[in-house]
Each structure stands twice: as structure tokens, then as C-alpha cells.
Amino acid sequence: MSNNKKWAPTLRRVLTGAACIIACSFTAPASIAAAPKKAATAPAQQQQRPRNIIFVLVDDLRYDGMGFLQPGLLKTPNIDRMAKEGSYFPNAVVTSSLCSPSRATILTGQTARNHGIVDNNDSSEAGLTYFPSYLQQTGYNTAFFGKWHMGSETDGPRPGFDKWVSFKGQGNYWPAKAESAHSSPNLNVDGKAVPQQGYITDELTDYAMNWLQKERDPKKPFFLYLSHKGVHSDPLPPPRYAHQYDKARFTLPASAANTPQNNEGKPVWVRNQRNSWHGIDFFYNADVPMTEYLKYYYGTLSAIDDSLGRIMDYLRKNGLDKDTLVVFTSDNGYMVGEHGLIDKRNAYQASVRVPLLVWEPGTIPAATVNEGRIRNLDFAPTFLDVAGAARPERFEGKSAWALWEGKQAAKDWKPGDFVYEYYWEYNFPMTPGTFAIERDNVKYIQYYGVWDTDELYDLNTDPDEMHNLVNDPAWAAKKQELRVALYQQLADRNGRHNIPYSARLSIGAVRRDIDGPRAADFPADWYVKPNPVDRLDPILPDSPAKLKAQAAGKPLIYTPPLSEELTRQVQGSAKP
């Protein structure tokens, strides 16, 4: 995924303790989702004992947003302890870097082109089955606490969960003052409206702890899904962490600077996005510098770290630590200025990479950095494998349980190409439809429906994606190989290549800073004088013959000036 060799010594030192600081509306309609069908494929290995599972999902946490990766700056003692006692996966990725599509992939074990949840707007969940339903069939108690934000806008209980606590849309860090189309002062607790009492991270954790301690059936294994609102914008830390990072000095990535060197080879849309809702120069159409914003972002993360600590302490004190698998991750990455961009959606590394920690003392290797690439597509089959449940035919991912246990070496873990899909959404029109594929640590990116360049990066030597190789003749064969593979693998289960989209209901976040930079220019080599003799070549598929002609400075197909060609054809003259 990226070159992590430079990180490995530091990570292992931190994870073994050298630098690690350790501190001990409402009911969903019946048609919203389908009942689970009988799974068709037997699990890879039946477990000797039922294993509890806790899945903690953070919203918009970037891949390096943990204390052990930024020692001396970030304070996440419980996350760090989890890393020290478990395994860290630096190459975890999401197949769509956006809340709803990513969450749907986690829950259904399918890609966006198959589950159909392609943006954050209201959409149908009809026909979808969520993997906790299969856990219920094997005797698990299941519970969901937090942000659903996937498919239908209702906050009502979904199939697959015995216990349900959620909220409308993005929810609120503190109770809303009034009901609105997109917000509510209430939580939905098992189909009933219950007023939100306080800070959302703490309150969700209170509900989760109460279920663990008093409500679940102690005779059954359990699956707990804790889905935090934090650290989604606009992040609000609780009072105890409001000033935690007042003196911290955050720095932006080198590629955040608007320089010719950074812009070289980048698409026009990337440069145009700098001055927009998702650009570093005008992000969220506000004037708070990212270096200040991160103080709130990581202060908000500290409350999530507290939440994780409460859960882990409960497991240890009640003798459940060696029987409970805990997984900590994020729904998507988060950019803080890389290439002049912020937030997510695109296929760059900081957008698609997510944190991933896996913990179960005695089973999951401790203080381990595992290079195996895990996709959000792989969680559902892994959890069913852990539970000894059969795998549904529609699952597209692969169980990583043997890798997590340390029984399979990372070099032998072969999940296949990493294929990425993002479908343009009208709300945030500054990011085009984006498709990408990564094979052998080489990433190819293309954009749908825009007049722009595609991209190719050798992540082995260029992990920050600074040198676009898409027009380098030495990489032409690899580019074409990945183009073909990307198209093949983007077919849905019926072999179709459809572009889904939802209704456009507004113009979207199109505003730009009046004093900011204007629209970017096209690449210099796109500008030519009229009547080039290779006029048809850019339209034709790339091929060895075409590349050979280009290298020789000749057209593949000679095309005379249009006026001459028209005159020739009209007059019936001889060939030129």
C-alpha cells in the first residue's frame, strides 16, 4: 500500500513500550432491509469456543491519528495500549472513502457497485442483509450504538440488532435545541424517542456499558458495534479536553503548499479544489487554519480514547479479555492538506487509508505491525469466520482471521487488487467520479466524466504520490494493464458497468473564496496549434504501435488539416 519500512522500527519500539504512554421517528419500515437468507458457504474453520466481538468505528479518523504514530504530539493512551497489546495494520484501506458507502460495505460485505449505497443522501436499503443477522442465527446477542448514517434517513432499528441506540443523520455532539429535517434532540432507543442528555461520545459509551453489564444475555456470545460520531466535522471536544492541545503545534503536509512543484502532474480538478469546501485554502468555507482545526479534531478523539479505555477495562476486570476480539478502525481516511485537499472522497493515500488495531490477548499477536492489507470489505467475512458462521455467497471480501491470529504470514495474504470507487455526488461537486486500482504497490487513478488527466504512482518509491507517471513511456505497459484490470473488476455482480447516482436537489457546495486563486489551467501539453497531424491519436486506445509512433515523433494515423480533407473529399481528389 505504501512504503512502511521506514516506520517499522519506530512502530515496534513504540508498541513494545519505549515511547508508549499507557494510562491505566423511529421504528424502521419493514421493507428497509431483507431478512437473511441461509448462507451458502461453510466457514473456513469452526471455532472451539464462541468468541465475543466488539467493533469500534470512528468517523473520519486519519490513518496516522494515533498517539503511538505521533509520539510527543497526540495523547491517546488507551489506543496506544491496544496497539501494544495487539496488532497494528498500517495498510488498512476502504473501497469507498465516504461515510455511507463505506458503512454499507462494512455491513453487507459488498462493494458500492453491488450494495447500491453510493453517497450520503437518502437511499433505499431494500434487499440488503447486514452481517449481524447471520451472527444472530448462530446464537449471538447483537447491539448497535451510535451513528448509522447509511441508506434510509430514518434512525429506526435495523434488522440484525437486538439492541439499538442511534440518531438522525450526523447526530449532535451536544443535544440539539429543536427537531429539524436533519437533526433531533432525541436518540432512538429501541424504536422510542429518548432525549439526548449530554456529550454524545460519553452517552453512547454509557449505553454500551449498560448493555454489557446489565442487558445482554450472559449465556450468549455477543457482538457490540460502537459507531462514534467523533471526530466528524465540526469536531467539538468535551470540556475536559477543550484546551488539551492549546499549545500543540501541528504542521501541514509538504504537498499542501500551492507551488509549481506540488502541482506538477496533478489533475485540474485537484488544483481547482484548493479554493473550495474541500480545499485547504477555503475548507468548509471558513477561515480557521487547519493547524488550529486539528486541536479540536484530536481533542474530540480523546473522548473516544476514554470510551475505548472504559470498554477494555470492563473486559479485563470481568475476565472477558481473552474471549473477546476488539477491532478499532475508521469509516474513511481524512486529508489535512495533502495535495491542497482536505476531508475524503478521492483515491489519494490519506483519503483511502484508515487506522486498524486488532486485539485479543493470547490470540492476536501483541506489539505486532502486520503489513497485510485489510479492506473494509473484509470485516464481514472475518467476523462470521470468527463466530463460526457460514459465509453468504454475496460477500466479496475475504476472511482475514488467519492473518489476524498470526497463523498466516503477511506475504501469504493475497486479497487481490485493491479497487476503489467513488461516485460523484451533487452536494459536493468538486470531486469527480473516481476509480482506482492498486497492484504490486502501483496505483492507477482515472476520473469519470471530466476533462482531465489520469494518474499513475509507484508507491514503492513515491508513497506521497508526488510524481505522476501516467505519461512516462517506461510505465505505459503497466498503465494499460491496470486500465484493463480496473474496468474488468468494476463490473457489478451481473457483469454490468453502471454509474449510479441520486437525485440532484441543490447546486451543492460550489462557493469559492473571492480573494482565493481562480480556476487552474489545463496541462501544458494539452495546448496545441490547429490541425495537428495526429489529430485522431488521443481518441484511439493506447497500444504498443501507438506508443512506438509517439516515441518516433510520428502520428499513428496521419490526419491532414480538416479543411484540406473536406476539400479533398468534396472535390474527389486523390489521396494526399
Side-chain angles (χ1 to χ4, degrees):
M1 182 68 191
S2 66
N3 186 357
N4 289 294
K5 292 182 179 179
K6 64 179 182 180
W7 284 97
T10 300
L11 289 173
R12 291 189 178 94
R13 185 169 62 252
V14 170
L15 295 180
T16 53
C20 187
I21 302 174
I22 304 299
C24 293
S25 113
F26 300 3
T27 303
S31 63
I32 200 167
K37 297 180 180 179
K38 185 177 180 181
T41 306
Q45 177 182 359
Q46 292 290 338
Q47 301 298 325
Q48 296 300 314
R49 55 185 169 82
R51 181 177 270 103
N52 306 312
I53 306 170
I54 296 179
F55 183 61
V56 180
L57 187 71
V58 187
D59 196 323
D60 281 9
L61 181 60
R62 56 181 280 123
Y63 71 95
D64 61 356
M66 299 178 286
F68 68 91
L69 294 179
Q70 300 188 55
L73 181 61
L74 301 187
K75 300 176 177 63
T76 57
N78 294 297
I79 294 173
D80 295 353
R81 181 173 180 180
M82 184 179 180
K84 182 181 179 182
E85 298 175 353
S87 294
Y88 165 56
F89 291 80
N91 291 325
V93 292
V94 293
T95 56
S96 297
S97 184
L98 185 62
C99 289
S100 295
S102 179
R103 291 162 188 268
T105 292
I106 290 170
L107 284 159
T108 66
Q110 301 176 61
T111 53
R113 57 190 173 275
N114 284 316
H115 61 59
I117 308 297
V118 298
D119 56 30
N120 285 347
N121 299 310
D122 185 32
S123 60
S124 173
E125 297 174 43
L128 301 182
T129 302
Y130 310 126
F131 75 82
S133 294
Y134 300 109
L135 296 180
Q136 285 180 321
Q137 290 180 346
T138 61
Y140 271 71
N141 254 181
T142 61
F144 181 85
F145 303 94
K147 178 180 175 180
W148 182 257
H149 197 231
M150 192 281 287
S152 174
E153 288 183 346
T154 175
D155 59 2
R158 265 53 171 194
F161 297 99
D162 302 312
K163 179 69 181 181
W164 179 268
V165 179
S166 191
F167 43 72
K168 186 183 294 186
Q170 297 285 358
N172 304 284
Y173 283 105
W174 296 98
K177 294 182 179 180
E179 188 83 26
S180 70
H182 303 288
S183 180
S184 174
N186 300 316
L187 302 177
N188 186 307
V189 180
D190 295 324
K192 298 180 179 179
V194 176
Q196 181 181 339
Q197 299 295 324
Y199 187 68
I200 190 63
T201 304
D202 297 340
E203 191 161 351
L204 290 175
T205 308
D206 289 343
Y207 275 107
M209 293 300 300
N210 187 68
W211 183 78
L212 284 172
Q213 295 168 334
K214 300 177 181 179
E215 295 184 282
R216 67 180 176 89
D217 185 345
K219 297 179 180 179
K220 293 184 176 182
F222 64 81
F223 171 77
L224 190 160
Y225 189 159
L226 179 54
S227 178
H228 287 292
K229 171 180 171 57
V231 290
H232 194 279
S233 64
D234 297 329
L236 292 176
R240 64 187 182 276
Y241 293 121
H243 300 286
Q244 182 182 25
Y245 290 105
D246 281 358
K247 296 181 180 180
R249 295 293 177 264
F250 292 99
T251 58
L252 300 185
S255 63
N258 191 3
T259 66
Q261 293 79 10
N262 285 344
N263 292 332
E264 183 179 2
K266 285 293 178 285
V268 172
W269 77 262
V270 171
R271 286 175 281 163
N272 281 336
Q273 193 172 122
R274 291 189 62 98
N275 182 12
S276 78
W277 183 272
H278 286 145
I280 193 64
D281 294 341
F282 198 37
F283 77 89
Y284 303 148
N285 290 174
D287 58 358
V288 177
M290 179 58 72
T291 50
E292 292 297 310
Y293 180 89
L294 290 175
K295 297 179 180 181
Y296 297 89
Y297 179 89
Y298 286 119
T300 303
L301 178 62
S302 288
I304 294 173
D305 187 75
D306 287 348
S307 170
L308 183 66
R310 291 176 62 186
I311 291 171
M312 305 290 264
D313 284 346
Y314 169 79
L315 296 177
R316 295 184 187 100
K317 291 177 181 178
N318 289 273
L320 295 171
D321 50 328
K322 291 181 173 57
D323 293 311
T324 304
L325 172 69
V326 182
V327 177
F328 178 91
T329 189
S330 177
D331 59 345
N332 44 250
Y334 191 85
M335 306 179 77
V336 295
E338 286 89 350
H339 313 298
L341 310 180
I342 70 113
D343 214 281
K344 58 241 183 192
R345 291 174 172 80
N346 58 72
Y348 292 131
Q349 292 291 77
S351 175
V352 302
R353 292 181 65 190
V354 292
L356 176 60
L357 299 174
V358 179
W359 177 94
E360 185 184 333
T363 300
I364 304 299
T368 299
V369 179
N370 191 313
E371 298 285 342
R373 180 169 61 212
I374 304 296
R375 306 160 296 180
N376 56 346
L377 193 64
D378 300 321
F379 287 130
T382 302
F383 291 149
L384 293 198
D385 196 3
V386 166
R391 173 196 170 98
E393 291 181 352
R394 287 197 168 192
F395 276 15
E396 299 173 58
K398 181 179 179 181
S399 172
W401 183 232
L403 180 72
W404 289 7
E405 282 189 293
K407 294 181 178 179
Q408 182 180 41
K411 64 180 178 62
D412 298 324
W413 165 251
K414 302 182 186 301
D417 296 332
F418 169 46
V419 175
Y420 179 81
E421 57 188 320
Y422 167 77
Y423 298 97
W424 180 86
E425 50 187 335
Y426 77 86
N427 320 70
F428 302 103
M430 63 285 297
T431 304
T434 302
F435 304 126
I437 185 171
E438 184 189 320
R439 174 184 290 178
D440 302 327
N441 240 16
V442 177
K443 182 193 290 186
Y444 168 70
I445 311 173
Q446 64 178 215
Y447 303 102
Y448 180 82
V450 294
W451 191 5
D452 221 325
T453 187
D454 45 7
E455 300 174 84
L456 184 74
Y457 298 102
D458 180 6
L459 299 177
N460 296 291
T461 59
D462 183 23
D464 296 325
E465 299 162 302
M466 297 302 297
H467 307 292
N468 188 0
L469 302 170
V470 78
N471 293 322
D472 186 335
W475 288 87
K478 190 67 174 181
K479 172 179 67 176
Q480 204 65 359
E481 170 194 327
L482 293 179
R483 276 178 171 168
V484 172
L486 177 61
Y487 179 75
Q488 291 173 340
Q489 296 186 47
L490 280 173
D492 66 16
R493 66 171 61 91
N494 297 310
R496 302 171 302 185
H497 290 84
N498 293 337
I499 302 294
Y501 63 96
S502 57
R504 183 166 193 159
L505 303 177
S506 73
I507 192 61
V510 297
R511 293 174 174 172
R512 296 168 66 86
D513 185 347
I514 192 171
D515 297 320
R518 267 21 190 191
D521 203 353
F522 287 111
D525 61 352
W526 286 21
Y527 287 97
V528 299
K529 293 182 178 181
N531 301 314
V533 295
D534 64 347
R535 190 155 45 90
L536 296 178
D537 285 12
I539 303 171
L540 301 172
D542 288 348
S543 66
K546 180 177 172 181
L547 294 171
K548 182 178 180 180
Q550 289 176 338
K554 299 179 180 180
L556 178 64
I557 298 179
Y558 175 83
T559 53
L562 182 60
S563 59
E564 293 182 12
E565 179 66 8
L566 291 173
T567 300
R568 185 186 67 82
Q569 292 193 34
V570 169
Q571 295 179 351
S573 59
K575 293 183 179 180

